[in-house]
Amino acid sequence: MKIFCSRANPTTGSVEWVEEDEHYDYHQEIARSSYADMLHDKDRNVKYYQGIRAAVSRVKDRGQKALVLDIGTGTGLLSMMAVTAGADFCYAIEVFKPMADAAVKIVEENGFSDKIKVINKHSTEVTVGPEGDMPCRANILVTELFDTELIGEGALPSYEHAHRHLVEENCEAVPHRATVYAQLVESRRMWSWNKLFPIRVQTSLGEQVIVPPVDLERCPGAPSVCDIQLNQVSPAEFTVLSDVLPIFSVDFSKQVSSSAACHSRQFEPLASGRAQVVLSWWDIEMDPEGKIKCTMAPFWAHSDPEEMQWRDHWMQCVYFLPQEEPVVQGSALCLVAHHDDYCIWYSLQRTSPENNERVREMRPVCDCQAHLLWNRPRFGEINDQDRTDRYVQALRTVLKPDSVCLCVSDGSLMSMLAHHLGAEQVFTIESSAASHKLMRKIFKANHLEDKINIIEKRPELLTNEDLKGRKVSLLLGEPFFTTSLLPWHNLYFWYVRTTVDQHLGPGAVVMPQAASLHAVVVEFRDLWRIRSPCGDCEGFDVHIMDDMIKRALDFRESREAEPHPLWEYPCRSLSEPWQILAFDFQQLVPLQPLRAEGTVELRRPGQSHAAVLWMEYHLTPECMLSTGLLEPVDPEGGCCWNPHCKQAVYFFSPAPDPRVPLGSPQTVSYVVEFHPDTGDITMEFRLEDTN
């Protein structure tokens, strides 16, 4: 059965009705899930198995039957571990139906159907009693409900309900306890993801400085956590201001509360500086004695950095303080963690811990519009002075004293650069109310509200009156649009250029003048795990899960690229980078598709995991900006990626198995096509042996 779905096309800007399979959402959910990553997490699996064995033994030693409740069972792995460890029966709860169906098959395949009952419900809907889902309460609670923030997937409400309705008082719990840790740091790089810095523009009249509005400086920022692979942030990019502080713990074997709370830890700063960022992570202890521990600590806080487990389903957290605050070495302060049932946030207090226990700050919410319009990488991009200087350099070559500029990008400062560099008149299109409101604030803070004309409408609705009867001599874009997910979605600029062509004067200049799509074949150090089949996991056959993911990928995802910020995911180039397609913005969007096909030879040995794609924008013939590689690949294949952009990763299918020795030399054949009518880029990359 087919259904029609409404979809906003990020490239063309239009809203389309697309025919999809009725199970499209299921396929998307499975294909984009972290199930493979979790199954490859050896440290997680082993520690859970050890903790479950110990919990079952403690119950058996008391002369009781071991009845296990497994909430969020996924593949049923933890339930099978429990039965293998000697549990008498296990109730495995899984709310996602395709996953619950897979768990039933996996349990049956491994011969545990008589000891494991899979219940396709949310745990809060599970009933206990003679006619219920469970005849009695369980005495062992096994869960894996955690995200990078620990509580972001609703762990606290789920535990709270389970203790009240589904498990015995003082039951055994695996994990037994979780502890959240925090470390206060100063970091210009990370702070640049949260605040707008002054931006310097060198003009013929001297230096001009674009300053942020006061309410943007005072804004507490976005309410959501920034989760990253903190191990990829160099220690040189932050100054440690505190020791690692244990902030709060949750004992999962007892009644858990999901009520809002705060926890204060007094500390003496290790150095003087400006407190800006809180780095945070957690660990889980699988047993009451704390001998079996699984930690998310970054390498500098890890007990055994050489044995660290790479994982993407759990990372580390970056929290921004509402305001940066000066701290003095040795002068006592209190770091306060606040949380509700789903989120954590931090504040710095100068009062005593006793007073802090009564502090109940509301969750920070952006009131300046900037954190609603710009995500963290976008803040970093705008604050990149070298990038701004590149635009200034390009603008100097195309601007004239009588230039009439029209800027087309979301929440961009390009219009201000054009004004400061001498354009006679500047217009900027801001399609959304949020971007319109934000840019008006920024213009006012810089006394430009009467100098730059904001047009709040979609480009295709632009009229001659909006431009005050003038013809545009310079159409300007970064280009950046908030709806863009993949690198080529910013080709929306080309469609806007085509739409507003009637408003361009004779000889009008378009900047960027052109763009090109580039690719390179890479071997990932770790990211391959999210797509690699598992087969056997701690002695249990989970190939049914592998097959399920493969079917979901084959539905569409294996023929599509997905966005990843590759500065967080080290990789090595196996081929030389090459250009696939070119897009000429001086011309209108063509009527016919643009197609490229060919073969690329791999220059270095390794496991070919994926092709990585990115866009390069040619502002002028002499000036180019890359959203991908920033430097030539080094002789060993090392890659330096743009830290402000997500690159597109096309994983080869089937995924190479790292356990299989490298075979004969390989080439990669490709077919890539740009479809002007839809704005889509379709692609297929294939690994081929040269022998």
Side-chain angles (χ1 to χ4, degrees):
M1 177 179 169
K2 298 288 186 178
I3 58 174
F4 281 98
C5 300
S6 176
R7 186 186 73 175
N9 188 311
T11 308
T12 64
S14 61
V15 176
E16 304 167 345
W17 286 94
V18 182
E19 188 179 62
E20 299 284 11
D21 185 276
E22 63 177 320
H23 301 301
Y24 174 70
D25 287 340
Y26 282 172
H27 289 299
Q28 284 272 300
E29 182 77 18
I30 296 164
R32 303 292 194 193
S33 71
S34 297
Y35 291 121
D37 181 30
M38 288 187 284
L39 293 174
H40 282 291
D41 189 341
K42 179 76 173 177
D43 181 59
R44 160 193 177 270
N45 299 339
V46 168
K47 300 294 176 54
Y48 261 100
Y49 210 168
Q50 292 173 347
I52 289 169
R53 284 196 192 101
V56 171
S57 293
R58 289 193 296 272
V59 170
K60 292 287 190 177
D61 289 346
R62 296 196 292 264
Q64 301 174 348
K65 282 189 173 183
L67 301 177
V68 177
L69 173 64
D70 175 10
I71 300 179
T73 195
T75 59
L77 177 65
L78 303 185
S79 292
M80 293 189 294
M81 288 178 175
V83 172
T84 304
D88 294 277
F89 203 84
C90 188
Y91 301 94
I93 314 300
E94 177 56 53
V95 67
F96 185 43
K97 189 175 188 309
M99 197 68 248
D101 293 342
V104 170
K105 294 176 184 176
I106 291 171
V107 166
E108 181 180 3
E109 180 79 14
N110 286 272
F112 295 112
S113 295
D114 60 331
K115 291 289 187 75
I116 298 174
K117 178 183 179 182
V118 178
I119 303 171
N120 179 208
K121 288 185 177 181
H122 194 282
S123 64
T124 57
E125 299 173 342
V126 172
T127 57
V128 177
E131 303 299 323
D133 299 305
M134 301 166 53
C136 62
R137 291 181 178 233
N139 55 12
I140 299 177
L141 176 57
V142 176
T143 62
E144 208 277 55
L145 300 171
F146 315 116
D147 67 348
T148 294
E149 200 173 15
L150 183 70
I151 66 173
E153 291 186 1
L156 295 181
S158 296
Y159 271 112
E160 185 175 45
H161 177 271
H163 276 288
R164 286 180 178 171
H165 303 285
L166 304 178
V167 296
E168 294 179 357
E169 187 176 358
N170 295 320
C171 68
E172 298 289 341
V174 183
H176 178 81
R177 180 188 299 107
T179 302
V180 173
Y181 299 87
Q183 189 169 34
L184 188 67
V185 304
E186 175 181 355
S187 172
R188 178 177 175 82
R189 180 188 178 188
M190 286 186 270
W191 195 238
S192 77
W193 301 341
N194 185 55
K195 297 290 183 181
L196 179 62
F197 295 169
I199 296 169
R200 304 183 183 282
V201 185
Q202 299 297 331
T203 75
S204 58
L205 301 177
E207 183 180 79
Q208 299 289 330
V209 181
I210 298 173
V211 299
V214 173
D215 63 345
L216 198 157
E217 290 188 300
R218 294 176 179 171
C219 180
S224 57
V225 65
C226 179
D227 54 338
I228 66 171
Q229 294 283 356
L230 198 53
N231 289 313
Q232 298 308 314
V233 177
S234 168
E237 294 187 302
F238 59 90
T239 301
V240 171
L241 299 179
S242 79
D243 289 318
V244 175
L245 306 172
I247 297 297
F248 68 91
S249 295
V250 183
D251 186 338
F252 297 126
S253 69
K254 299 177 181 177
Q255 181 61 57
V256 172
S257 172
S258 63
S259 299
C262 70
H263 310 269
S264 175
R265 289 293 177 267
Q266 190 170 26
F267 70 99
E268 291 187 1
L270 301 176
S272 298
R274 302 195 67 79
Q276 298 169 327
V277 173
V278 176
L279 309 180
S280 183
W281 56 89
W282 49 265
D283 65 30
I284 44 178
E285 297 171 358
M286 300 298 183
D287 61 323
E289 295 79 23
K291 296 179 180 178
I292 308 168
K293 183 182 290 186
C294 184
T295 181
M296 306 307 118
F299 67 86
W300 66 86
H302 201 283
S303 58
D304 190 0
E306 297 300 319
E307 295 298 321
M308 285 184 60
Q309 170 75 51
W310 182 89
R311 47 174 70 94
D312 204 44
H313 58 107
W314 295 330
M315 293 185 279
Q316 295 81 36
C317 301
V318 172
Y319 296 93
F320 304 102
L321 293 175
Q323 301 296 326
E324 63 176 2
E325 299 187 36
V327 299
V328 178
Q329 182 178 2
S331 181
L333 292 169
C334 293
L335 184 63
V336 186
H338 314 259
H339 74 79
D340 53 23
D341 49 351
Y342 282 89
C343 300
I344 300 173
W345 61 97
Y346 287 87
S347 65
L348 201 59
Q349 306 287 341
R350 300 184 185 275
T351 55
S352 67
E354 291 77 20
N355 290 335
N356 279 332
E357 288 176 3
R358 293 191 292 273
V359 173
R360 291 292 187 271
E361 288 196 4
M362 296 296 292
R363 182 182 176 196
V365 176
C366 170
D367 56 14
C368 75
Q369 306 296 313
H371 301 91
L372 304 179
L373 184 67
W374 299 334
N375 58 22
R376 272 68 182 254
R378 178 60 173 164
F379 264 100
E381 188 172 53
I382 292 174
N383 284 322
D384 186 338
Q385 186 66 51
D386 290 340
R387 180 177 179 274
T388 297
D389 292 343
R390 190 79 62 89
Y391 276 105
V392 169
Q393 174 190 345
L395 273 168
R396 285 200 186 104
T397 66
V398 296
L399 269 175
K400 299 177 181 177
D402 61 349
S403 288
V404 176
C405 296
L406 176 62
C407 300
V408 183
S409 283
D410 288 345
S412 172
L413 305 186
M414 294 294 289
S415 59
M416 302 177 74
L417 301 185
H419 170 79
H420 285 312
L421 291 172
E424 178 184 326
Q425 196 160 15
V426 181
F427 300 89
T428 182
I429 293 179
E430 297 293 348
S431 300
S432 75
S435 60
H436 182 272
K437 186 175 180 180
L438 172 62
M439 297 313 298
R440 189 168 293 283
K441 287 181 182 180
I442 295 175
F443 293 163
K444 186 174 182 180
N446 289 274
H447 310 291
L448 297 177
E449 63 268 38
D450 297 326
K451 308 289 186 181
I452 301 175
N453 302 275
I454 306 179
I455 303 170
E456 187 183 359
K457 59 171 55 176
R458 292 187 59 79
E460 62 267 22
L461 302 178
L462 188 69
T463 66
N464 191 48
E465 290 72 24
D466 295 323
L467 298 172
K468 301 183 178 179
R470 304 293 300 272
K471 287 290 185 180
V472 173
S473 58
L474 174 59
L475 180 64
L476 184 61
E478 295 193 36
F480 170 84
F481 302 97
T482 57
T483 54
S484 299
L485 295 176
L486 293 166
W488 48 86
H489 287 165
N490 284 321
L491 286 174
Y492 175 55
F493 176 78
W494 202 7
Y495 287 83
V496 173
R497 177 261 181 273
T498 302
T499 296
V500 303
D501 184 65
Q502 60 182 311
H503 300 292
L504 304 185
V509 174
V510 178
M511 191 183 107
Q513 297 180 0
S516 48
L517 179 67
H518 296 252
V520 68
V521 177
V522 302
E523 174 185 48
F524 284 113
R525 191 170 72 191
D526 297 297
L527 190 63
W528 59 268
R529 300 172 194 272
I530 70 173
R531 283 292 187 91
S532 181
C534 186
D536 177 277
C537 187
E538 303 310 315
F540 302 99
D541 184 351
V542 294
H543 81 271
I544 291 172
M545 183 71 233
D546 294 336
D547 295 343
M548 182 179 178
I549 294 175
K550 185 179 185 303
R551 285 194 300 273
L553 290 169
D554 288 344
F555 177 75
R556 175 182 295 171
E557 302 298 316
S558 65
R559 300 187 300 277
E560 293 185 350
E562 56 188 52
H564 290 282
L566 291 191
W567 72 267
E568 294 185 56
Y569 303 104
C571 60
R572 191 170 65 90
S573 165
L574 301 185
S575 74
E576 294 306 313
W578 79 95
Q579 178 177 309
I580 298 178
L581 292 172
F583 312 95
D584 185 357
F585 295 158
Q586 300 283 19
Q587 306 298 319
L588 303 183
V589 174
L591 299 178
Q592 301 302 317
L594 302 177
R595 179 184 173 90
E597 58 184 298
T599 301
V600 175
E601 204 172 306
L602 302 189
R603 301 290 186 182
R604 301 175 186 89
Q607 292 282 357
S608 304
H609 292 133
V612 176
L613 300 98
W614 68 93
M615 296 289 289
E616 294 184 358
Y617 293 100
H618 308 270
L619 305 182
T620 66
E622 296 77 29
C623 188
M624 184 274 292
L625 278 173
S626 173
T627 67
L629 287 174
L630 296 182
E631 299 173 3
V633 173
D634 70 30
E636 288 73 40
C639 300
C640 177
W641 298 102
N642 188 320
H644 311 309
C645 303
K646 289 184 177 182
Q647 292 73 40
V649 178
Y650 182 105
F651 287 99
F652 296 134
S653 181
D657 188 335
R659 296 164 294 190
V660 176
L662 295 176
S664 58
Q666 292 180 312
T667 61
V668 172
S669 63
Y670 64 90
V671 178
V672 179
E673 191 164 8
F674 170 68
H675 304 272
D677 54 336
T678 63
D680 292 335
I681 290 183
T682 56
M683 62 189 70
E684 184 174 6
F685 291 83
R686 286 186 178 276
L687 278 171
E688 298 175 351
D689 291 336
T690 54
N691 295 340

